[in-house]
Amino acid sequence: MLGKLIEFHSIGELPDSPITQGTTLWNPTGTWRSVRPIHMARLSPCLLGCPAGNPIETFIRRIEEGDIDGALAVIREENPFPGICGRVCFHPCERSCNRGSMDQPVAIHELERWVADHGSWRPTVSEKDKGKHVAIVGSGPAGLTAAYHLRRMGYGVTVFEKERELGGLLRYGIPSYRLPKDILDREINILREMEITFITGKTLNESDLDDEGFDAVLFAVGAQDFRNPRLVRQVGEGVWQALEFLKKVNESGITSLKGKVVVIGGGNAAIDAARCALRMGTEVTVAYRRMREDMPAFDDEIEAAVEEGVSFTFLAAPQVVKRDADGKVTGVGFTRTIPGEIDASGKHEVTIDPHDTFSIEAETVILATGEKPADLPWDVEPKSDTNLCETDRPNVFVAGDVVGTQRTVAYAIGWGKRAAVAIDSYLQSREVDFRKITLPGGEGISMRAYLGSFEIPDGEAVPFEEINEFYFPDVKRTKARQLPLKQRTAGFAEVVKGLSRPQALKEASRCFHCGDCVMCDNCLIFCPDVAITRTNDKEGYEVDLDHCKGCGICARECPRGAIVMVEEKI
Amino acid sequence: MIEPTYAIEAQEEFLYPGHLACQGCGSTIAIRYVLKALGKNTVVVIPACCWSIIAGLFPSSCLGVPLVHTAFETAAVAATGVRAALDIQGKEGVNVLAWAGDGGTFDIGFQALSGAAERNEDILYCCYDNEAYMNTGIQRSSATPVGAWTTTTPKGGLEDRPKKDIVRIMAAHNIPYAATANVAFPDDLYRKAKKAASIKGMKFIHILSPCPTGWRIPSSESVEVARLATLSNLFPLYEVENGSKVIVNYFPPKKVPVAQYLESQGRFHLVSDEQKKQIQRNVDAYWGGLMKEVKKK
Amino acid sequence: MKKVLMGNFAASHGVRLSRAQVISAYPITPQTHVVEELSAMVARGELNAKFIKVESEHSALACCIAASVMGARVFTATSSHGLLLMHELLHWASGGRLPIVMVAVNRAIAPGWNIWNEQTDTLSQRDTGWIQLYCASNQEILDTVIQAFKLAETVKIPVMVIYDAFILSHTYEPVDIPDQGLIDTFLPPISNPEALTMEKAQAFGSVTNPDFHMEFRMKLHETYGRVFEEFEKLEEEYSAQIGRKYGIIEPYRCEDADLIMITAGSLAGPSRMVVDGLRKKGIRTGRIKLKLFRPFPSEALREALKPAKKILVLDRNLSPGTGGIFAHEVRAALKGDTRSIWAFVAGLGGRDITPDLIESMFFDALGAEVPISETIFKGVRL
């Protein structure tokens, strides 16, 4: 705001001595600058790192503000299952977290779980009934997420699940010590509260589509078929396909195993199977044809398995299941493999050395060498060149492991969101502006952006170089409590106990809030020209452009890159 | 709750925009917090220095309190005169603030400063130290540190004399309060100014105040560079009460090499690695001395 | 009340009666007694003032200036080197339109060190914008100090009250010390409308660029024009209350004088004696005592000099290369005048100026139509 310059029109108006008559407010020092500061909401890298599109920095901010329920509410605008993700996700967000470049990343995974376990939240459904009904086939994370978002939008939703219970791999694949069944039910029950119809033990026929009045159908049927054609012939007495084994365990169908167990494979299914076997009182060895660092399983899981006492042997390619005269399994014959260069997939190439053979004794063999997607019913063909889960039939959509290559819960949830957007845009005959809803560089989309309550900030995510480390004291990352080692393998009780409240608050305080102004006042305090003030409602800052000289101290002292210096247009 | 970084209660501003400081000037940040601490009942005295200009040309002033411009050598004694006038007129509770650069404090104004200190005049004297005669175009002063380029310590002859330890000199006058402060630590500066205002007698605060123009740094890095000075122990934050009681206010959480501070500024770009090592030794020795002092309370 | 006082103490009493509020001074021979006595007066509770024992004259005036800016009535005293050290700030005081009163005792300037009477110190400050008043007796010192405060506060120009080293400063004379009540009526408490107050956030002395500086100086210059009438007015007032008056010049027996000598300070006395002596010998002489030097009383001087055929100026000072400073000013005031001016310089460094020496100056002028040189040094020894 400019003041007025005092003027004198005659010598008589001048004071006798040089005594000032007014302030310097008239002086437009804003004309000195060539760049100006703009308080700008910018992307935090964690947001880009999450395939499910969790609003990570935002929910952590709510925690710090003491609003746990608000934290949970904002997560559930994107992801219905924080209680699940906070237990089973491989948290790629933490790899993106800028805090990791200072000391260790924020324990986002644990915070998500803590919020889900301690916040209260009730689902809301759009008041406007869209008058259309969607069928969703498959109640895994992709299907359930799509159901959740479509129901929120005001559609009628029916979920078909061929198994007896809901959840897909969440129930039948992931063991209880990672994801307790009561937690799974707690998470899924929010969908029941939304009046989504669930039909279990049934498949959907093509004719049902019109008969039942479904305006669109989504196939989210997963990838649980055994992939390796050579090894599948070995399945039989004493030789399990991993997902079958896990399903039996999760149905409480197997409670003990005799003899040693060999698990073939290096993915999460292999580790899950191994840790389950361990809990059933056996010695377990996991045999993988490449090296430890090539294993696709989550690092946390591998470390947990090692801690619990699972043995590992690497560079081992299985050749034959050995049986005795009665047909009982006695072990597995392997050849060593020789590691070569890193190939296109980022793993070591291996070549078999046929002369270097060895055996591992076992009475149970579990084959966890990978899955392939289920065959889509009704001869539906997915379109490969679309973001919109489309198939060759306009009202049939696909999502999740059945079409995706990154087969994890977080990706599946991301798929479910995308499918909901796709189906909504189809049913409303409205084009989707992907620019507005895609999280740049990441895999996820923002449902809040799609529904209009959020604008994805322009530009790149705030890099670590723009974080002012001085403002963040040294606080070590909190490790969540776990069951004592001996107790873990005694049964299937949950191993990780989660954070306590003080731990959660302390961990949340480690978040930089990259690109999100939290009103720390640094810009206001350090401005040499007193040109930054709080707005009248105290919710933001305004820059006095009449006087701001563009020195840039505000941007430099902003701890979190929430101020950008932009060139003045000439 | 996410709290503001720096706890500074006083909201009223006594520094108005439209002043004539260079972009990124540290001294304006410094006076802003000193005046917030002192409040409206303050008279400021400014000798010849950058602030003679920054304060604004007639007929405008950028301060919300009365201001007496005075000749170069006279900040401390003009402040004395102001105090004498206020006292004899029965005007109580008014702070008198002498606000001078390093030239008017360490050099030409030193006599008057020493005189006022020896007489224990009831004034707060703040030296905003940008480590050279900046107003006249960057000539060295006795506050210019070793290795610094100035126009009178140019390429062939960088400053080679150590900086005068002005706080110790002032403390040797046995004044009630002497302290260092840094614009990068505004809450500490604010607290010290407030503390000084509550003491009767002579108070002296030496404020490190970067000059982007003379230090050859981008204007945006003013605060950061000042911070590095303290983080590297080159400019420790401490107080001396009654001439002898030393209180160290800030212990950097991790050791930052002095070289990082030196390399952040163009004025040190000709300092050799050998000199940097010597400067590090000097800094370590001084800090070590301070540590011994505070332990032997 | 009459007391026998040295000139310095007369000054102290003048300051006391004027109720100066802030006094800041640094000792220098021969001023020291002024401030010692003031310090004692403050200590005895006779004067309610702040006495700042600064560490130099430059600081003394800086202190006074700042205190005056804040609206206090201030006083300082100095001499010779002390005055010269203040030089920078003399300009500041006048440019700042501050009603400061200073006693300056005329003492010679080094090198070599010389503590004795010479007028060069104050005269060399004639461009600093201070009003200068020269005193010829200790009574005049006391009265002039009081009048100086009134004059300064009326026109807002600082005033120097000047008298000779030792001849006046250290010499005892009977002095009437007026009643405090009378002085309080003559000189009420200071009220400077442009003083800084806590109610307004104003800055004194900011940068005045070419757009403003000239007008400020012009205002000062123009105010000088009011000094003659203001001084006359306050002298009338003082005279009415206290009964003494001096005038900006004091002509003595000039109405019918053929030769008139102009001089200032304590030389007023001996030069009057010499005039009387020459008159007895039938030589029509007169003398003019210059009291007000800045602003220079050109008009009054020209008027008083009308009868003279020859004009003499006695300077106890020297502007090297130019000559006596009073002579220089007189010549400027008399431009266009065809009469010869004898410019005598004597008594530098405290060398005695005897009545005989002064008389010889008159005879020099009598014995020639034009002076033998532009500047005539008298009483030269070697």
Side-chain angles (χ1 to χ4, degrees):
Chain A
M1 227 233 351
L2 284 177
K4 206 166 175 301
L5 173 59
I6 311 279
E7 289 186 343
F8 303 96
H9 304 104
S10 71
I11 203 171
E13 285 181 23
L14 206 61
D16 290 335
S17 55
I19 304 249
T20 58
Q21 306 294 311
T23 71
T24 53
L25 279 169
W26 68 269
N27 189 15
T29 52
T31 55
W32 299 15
R33 67 173 182 268
S34 54
V35 286
R36 78 162 72 172
I38 304 203
H39 288 79
M40 194 181 274
R42 295 168 72 200
L43 285 167
S44 50
C46 51
L47 182 59
L48 302 188
C50 175
N54 272 359
I56 295 169
E57 183 274 322
T58 311
F59 92 72
I60 297 180
R61 185 168 171 183
R62 297 277 176 275
I63 297 176
E64 279 188 272
E65 290 166 355
D67 182 9
I68 317 301
D69 297 344
L72 184 53
V74 75
I75 295 175
R76 286 217 162 108
E77 288 192 62
E78 300 287 346
N79 172 3
F81 303 127
I84 297 174
C85 290
R87 286 172 163 81
V88 308
C89 186
F90 68 113
H91 45 79
C93 53
E94 291 185 10
R95 254 181 270 137
S96 304
C97 174
N98 273 333
R99 183 84 197 209
S101 300
M102 175 177 164
D103 41 31
Q104 305 94 31
V106 174
I108 300 167
H109 180 62
E110 287 298 334
L111 286 173
E112 184 182 15
R113 175 204 166 133
W114 185 79
V115 165
D117 288 352
H118 294 93
S120 32
W121 177 90
R122 297 265 68 81
T124 51
V125 170
S126 169
E127 283 152 12
K128 293 199 214 98
D129 188 334
K130 292 252 178 8
K132 295 197 194 264
H133 211 113
V134 179
I136 296 182
V137 180
S139 69
L144 291 180
T145 300
Y148 167 78
H149 282 299
L150 284 165
R151 184 74 194 107
R152 281 178 77 214
M153 290 181 204
Y155 292 101
V157 177
T158 302
V159 176
F160 293 87
E161 168 54 56
K162 72 175 198 292
E163 298 294 339
R164 244 182 341 111
E165 292 188 75
L166 304 170
L169 277 182
L170 295 175
R171 183 179 306 277
Y172 295 112
I174 299 173
S176 305
Y177 60 81
R178 285 179 69 203
L179 178 59
K181 302 295 180 258
D182 60 338
I183 299 292
L184 176 62
D185 288 333
R186 179 193 81 192
E187 298 279 290
I188 293 178
N189 280 342
I190 61 170
L191 272 68
R192 292 190 198 278
E193 276 188 62
M194 294 163 82
E195 294 173 341
I196 294 171
T197 307
F198 291 98
I199 300 175
T200 53
K202 190 174 189 296
T203 38
L204 181 69
N205 295 317
E206 207 166 338
S207 52
D208 293 330
L209 207 55
D210 293 319
D211 294 346
E212 306 290 334
F214 291 120
D215 301 286
V217 64
L218 168 67
F219 286 106
V221 293
Q224 293 175 40
D225 294 0
F226 192 62
R227 197 183 63 193
N228 188 316
R230 180 171 66 86
L231 288 177
V232 79
R233 292 197 295 270
Q234 308 271 353
V235 173
E237 185 68 37
V239 177
W240 294 85
Q241 193 218 101
L243 290 182
E244 288 284 336
F245 173 75
L246 288 170
K247 183 152 179 248
K248 273 279 187 216
V249 171
N250 281 310
E251 282 173 336
S252 299
I254 315 169
T255 48
S256 68
L257 284 174
K258 270 204 286 270
K260 297 184 186 159
V261 176
V262 163
V263 177
I264 316 272
N268 289 315
I271 304 295
D272 280 342
R275 291 175 73 192
C276 285
L278 206 61
R279 280 159 172 75
M280 284 151 50
T282 65
E283 278 175 44
V284 182
T285 305
V286 171
Y288 179 58
R289 61 192 245 105
R290 299 188 212 238
M291 302 175 76
R292 159 85 194 248
E293 58 263 34
D294 300 322
M295 292 182 83
F298 300 159
D299 286 326
D300 293 355
E301 293 300 309
I302 301 171
E303 277 160 32
V306 169
E307 265 194 0
E308 286 172 4
V310 170
S311 303
F312 285 81
T313 182
F314 298 102
L315 299 168
Q319 297 306 315
V320 63
V321 173
K322 294 186 171 162
R323 291 176 193 272
D324 63 13
D326 302 320
K328 219 168 70 130
V329 172
T330 57
V332 179
F334 294 89
T335 52
R336 278 280 171 232
T337 62
I338 302 163
E341 299 294 311
I342 306 281
D343 69 15
S345 68
K347 302 183 188 172
H348 289 90
E349 271 179 10
V350 288
T351 47
I352 290 180
D353 183 350
H355 304 296
D356 190 354
T357 60
F358 65 99
S359 293
I360 298 182
E361 264 182 41
E363 288 171 43
T364 306
V365 179
I366 302 177
L367 303 171
T369 50
E371 304 74 40
K372 64 179 168 71
D375 290 324
L376 286 169
W378 318 346
D379 292 321
V380 164
E381 284 291 326
K383 275 197 190 161
S384 57
D385 62 345
T386 171
N387 282 321
L388 283 170
C389 309
E390 289 166 328
T391 66
D392 54 343
R393 296 159 68 150
N395 65 344
V396 176
F397 297 85
V398 284
D401 285 359
V402 75
V403 281
T405 49
Q406 298 265 34
R407 299 196 188 122
T408 64
V409 170
Y411 275 95
I413 291 174
W415 272 108
K417 268 205 297 200
R418 190 178 286 279
V421 166
I423 292 170
D424 181 56
S425 93
Y426 164 72
L427 292 175
Q428 301 303 317
S429 304
R430 179 177 57 213
E431 286 223 13
V432 177
D433 183 352
F434 268 94
R435 258 180 324 120
K436 284 207 175 137
I437 68 168
T438 305
L439 298 168
E443 312 278 335
I445 61 165
S446 167
M447 187 55 76
R448 290 171 297 153
Y450 183 69
L451 296 176
S453 71
F454 173 66
E455 244 186 76
I456 299 179
D458 280 328
E460 311 270 310
V462 176
F464 179 67
E465 291 68 46
E466 289 190 43
I467 300 298
N468 196 328
E469 274 185 80
F470 173 73
Y471 291 106
F472 300 103
D474 265 345
V475 177
K476 294 267 172 291
R477 175 180 160 116
T478 313
K479 199 159 161 44
R481 302 156 298 171
Q482 296 189 78
L483 268 187
L485 195 51
K486 287 201 197 78
Q487 288 180 39
R488 289 180 213 171
T489 50
F492 282 76
E494 190 176 9
V495 170
V496 178
K497 310 297 285 168
L499 300 171
S500 66
R501 190 190 163 88
Q503 281 181 314
L505 293 174
K506 182 171 168 204
E507 189 57 31
S509 77
R510 297 178 70 244
C511 174
F512 290 154
H513 298 289
C514 306
D516 182 17
C517 172
V518 299
M519 305 296 288
C520 75
D521 275 356
N522 274 14
C523 54
L524 183 155
I525 284 179
F526 284 119
C527 177
D529 292 276
V530 202
I532 296 183
T533 48
R534 287 195 172 210
T535 52
N536 279 333
D537 57 9
K538 305 278 188 266
E539 299 287 308
Y541 295 104
E542 65 185 300
V543 177
D544 173 3
L545 291 172
D546 289 324
H547 295 110
C548 163
K549 292 172 185 161
C551 72
I553 286 179
C554 53
R556 195 66 183 231
E557 294 306 312
C558 175
R560 48 193 51 89
I563 299 179
V564 172
M565 299 303 291
V566 165
E567 274 196 28
E568 287 286 4
K569 307 180 200 70
I570 306 294
Chain B
M1 243 351 269
I2 302 177
E3 298 286 343
T5 316
Y6 297 102
I8 292 166
E9 309 91 60
Q11 295 295 310
E12 195 176 349
E13 301 285 355
F14 297 99
L15 171 65
Y16 302 129
H19 63 63
L20 301 178
C22 298
Q23 294 147 318
C25 173
S27 74
T28 53
I29 303 173
I31 205 174
R32 188 175 170 198
Y33 292 98
V34 172
L35 287 180
K36 270 185 191 273
L38 266 41
K40 203 166 176 60
N41 255 353
T42 302
V43 178
V44 184
V45 175
I46 295 181
C49 60
C50 288
W51 259 89
S52 307
I53 318 300
I54 296 172
L57 312 189
F58 177 87
S60 315
S61 170
C62 75
L63 295 184
V65 290
L67 159 57
V68 181
H69 285 280
T70 186
F72 205 172
E73 316 83 328
T74 68
V77 73
T80 298
V82 170
R83 172 59 75 202
L86 290 167
D87 280 355
I88 201 67
Q89 292 166 334
K91 292 179 182 166
E92 294 181 353
V94 180
N95 296 304
V96 178
L97 170 68
W99 184 256
D102 50 298
T105 303
F106 286 60
D107 297 328
I108 196 171
F110 192 67
Q111 174 198 306
L113 174 61
S114 179
E118 179 275 319
R119 295 188 304 269
N120 200 28
E121 298 287 351
D122 186 17
I123 63 175
L124 168 57
Y125 189 109
C126 286
C127 172
Y128 66 92
D129 184 4
N130 53 30
E131 301 191 324
Y133 303 146
M134 293 306 185
N135 194 34
T136 43
I138 323 169
Q139 296 86 26
R140 70 85 75 179
S141 75
S142 66
T144 302
V146 169
W149 166 90
T150 65
T151 58
T152 47
T153 55
K155 205 163 182 168
L158 298 180
E159 179 61 59
D160 60 358
R161 292 288 305 150
K163 194 182 160 95
K164 249 190 211 174
D165 192 342
I166 194 74
V167 170
R168 296 303 184 147
I169 293 170
M170 294 313 296
H173 287 71
N174 284 313
I175 57 175
Y177 187 71
T180 62
N182 184 331
V183 300
F185 295 82
D187 49 348
D188 177 73
L189 170 58
Y190 174 82
R191 178 188 67 81
K192 283 170 175 164
K194 251 202 148 29
K195 179 170 174 178
S198 71
I199 297 170
K200 203 162 153 65
M202 179 85 177
K203 290 83 62 175
F204 180 84
I205 304 181
H206 178 212
I207 308 172
L208 185 66
S209 178
C211 166
T213 313
W215 292 22
R216 303 312 208 208
I217 58 176
S219 60
S220 58
E221 289 179 20
S222 229
V223 173
E224 186 163 308
V225 168
R227 183 180 298 127
L228 277 175
T230 293
L231 291 181
S232 64
N233 289 335
L234 183 129
F235 192 87
L237 295 179
Y238 68 98
E239 301 163 285
V240 185
E241 292 176 347
N242 298 308
S244 56
K245 179 172 174 208
V246 176
I247 305 167
V248 173
N249 310 116
Y250 181 77
F251 297 84
K254 47 178 172 250
K255 185 163 183 187
V256 170
V258 166
Q260 196 178 327
Y261 171 73
L262 299 171
E263 284 154 20
S264 69
Q265 301 156 64
R267 64 176 172 152
F268 290 120
H269 79 287
L270 290 171
V271 176
S272 70
D273 286 336
E274 205 40 61
Q275 283 175 304
K276 283 178 195 162
K277 290 202 188 96
Q278 182 58 51
I279 295 171
Q280 182 71 65
R281 284 192 286 269
N282 295 344
V283 164
D284 291 342
Y286 193 88
W287 178 256
L290 259 184
M291 292 301 99
K292 282 211 189 81
E293 267 185 289
V294 295
K295 283 197 178 88
K296 78 158 164 42
K297 251 183 289 207
Chain C
M1 170 188 45
K2 258 204 157 89
K3 270 191 123 172
V4 179
L5 295 174
M6 69 161 82
N8 280 342
F9 287 162
S12 312
H13 280 278
V15 175
R16 176 182 61 81
L17 288 165
S18 304
R19 299 194 189 272
Q21 294 176 295
V22 175
I23 299 163
S24 175
Y26 193 76
I28 180 170
T29 307
Q31 150 268 39
T32 45
H33 301 87
V34 179
V35 293
E36 286 169 359
E37 184 61 14
L38 283 169
S39 182
M41 286 170 174
V42 170
R44 290 194 297 260
E46 290 161 12
L47 171 59
N48 180 29
K50 291 288 177 190
F51 189 95
I52 320 288
K53 299 175 281 293
V54 288
E55 75 300 327
S56 85
E57 288 89 348
H58 187 274
S59 287
L61 188 50
C63 183
C64 284
I65 285 169
S68 184
V69 167
M70 296 305 294
R73 180 174 283 162
V74 304
F75 174 80
T76 189
T78 189
S79 170
S80 178
H81 285 274
L83 179 65
L84 304 187
L85 184 55
M86 288 178 174
H87 178 77
E88 169 192 28
L89 296 169
L90 294 175
H91 285 279
W92 202 290
S94 65
R97 303 301 300 273
L98 298 170
I100 300 174
V101 170
M102 175 196 306
V103 149
V105 184
N106 278 145
R107 168 189 139 172
I109 303 165
W113 289 117
N114 182 304
I115 60 170
W116 297 277
N117 180 221
E118 190 183 302
Q119 299 156 331
T120 312
D121 55 355
T122 55
L123 291 172
S124 68
Q125 304 308 304
R126 63 193 184 280
D127 295 329
T128 58
W130 282 60
I131 293 169
Q132 290 195 11
L133 295 163
Y134 287 79
C135 303
S137 70
N138 292 356
Q139 182 69 68
E140 190 174 3
I141 292 172
L142 184 148
D143 292 331
T144 306
V145 165
I146 296 167
Q147 290 172 342
F149 279 104
K150 180 132 186 165
L151 179 61
E153 288 167 23
T154 306
V155 295
K156 289 197 294 175
I157 297 175
V159 178
M160 230 182 261
V161 177
I162 301 155
Y163 53 88
D164 293 319
F166 296 105
I167 302 170
L168 288 184
S169 66
H170 285 64
T171 307
Y172 282 80
E173 294 176 359
V175 173
D176 170 54
I177 303 173
D179 205 39
Q180 179 71 69
L182 291 174
I183 302 302
D184 286 341
T185 309
F186 172 73
L187 180 68
I190 185 171
S191 160
N192 180 354
E194 286 192 356
L196 292 190
T197 68
M198 297 315 300
E199 284 71 47
K200 285 197 267 189
Q202 290 178 302
F204 164 83
S206 312
V207 170
T208 51
N209 60 19
D211 286 347
F212 287 109
H213 205 75
M214 187 153 172
E215 276 76 14
F216 279 114
R217 291 297 176 265
M218 278 171 60
K219 280 172 82 99
L220 172 60
H221 180 83
E222 279 156 13
T223 306
Y224 258 88
R226 288 174 42 215
V227 169
F228 301 110
E229 59 174 281
E230 292 297 340
F231 190 66
E232 199 183 309
K233 230 169 55 182
L234 66 86
E235 275 227 287
E236 283 303 325
E237 210 185 306
Y238 194 78
S239 171
Q241 303 248 359
I242 311 297
R244 284 184 295 274
K245 193 159 97 168
Y246 300 90
I248 58 176
I249 62 172
E250 186 197 79
Y252 180 71
R253 301 182 87 165
C254 289
E255 313 80 4
D256 63 339
D258 293 326
L259 298 94
I260 298 181
M261 171 182 277
I262 302 161
T263 191
S266 62
L267 290 167
S271 57
R272 196 171 74 151
M273 271 175 57
V274 168
V275 161
D276 283 341
L278 288 171
R279 280 274 179 174
K280 284 206 181 93
K281 294 178 185 161
I283 304 165
R284 293 208 307 245
T285 57
R287 77 99 173 91
I288 297 172
K289 159 184 171 270
L290 261 185
K291 182 189 176 98
L292 181 69
F293 173 71
R294 274 288 180 271
F296 196 74
S298 305
E299 214 182 291
L301 203 60
R302 282 193 292 265
E303 190 60 37
L305 283 171
K306 271 203 176 118
K309 295 197 177 75
K310 290 174 178 174
I311 295 161
L312 292 73
V313 183
L314 172 49
D315 272 295
R316 198 173 197 158
N317 62 80
L318 181 68
S319 176
T322 302
I325 293 167
F326 288 130
H328 191 70
E329 298 272 336
V330 166
R331 285 194 174 109
L334 294 180
K335 71 175 184 305
D337 197 307
T338 52
R339 294 172 285 180
S340 294
I341 298 172
W342 273 258
F344 296 104
V345 172
L348 299 181
R351 181 164 300 178
D352 231 356
I353 299 179
T354 60
D356 285 344
L357 188 66
I358 295 173
E359 195 182 67
S360 75
M361 293 175 200
F362 277 104
F363 280 120
D364 282 356
L366 274 170
E369 281 313 305
V370 293
I372 49 165
S373 61
E374 180 110 334
T375 300
I376 305 163
F377 287 90
K378 295 292 287 186
V380 177
R381 210 167 60 79
L382 299 169

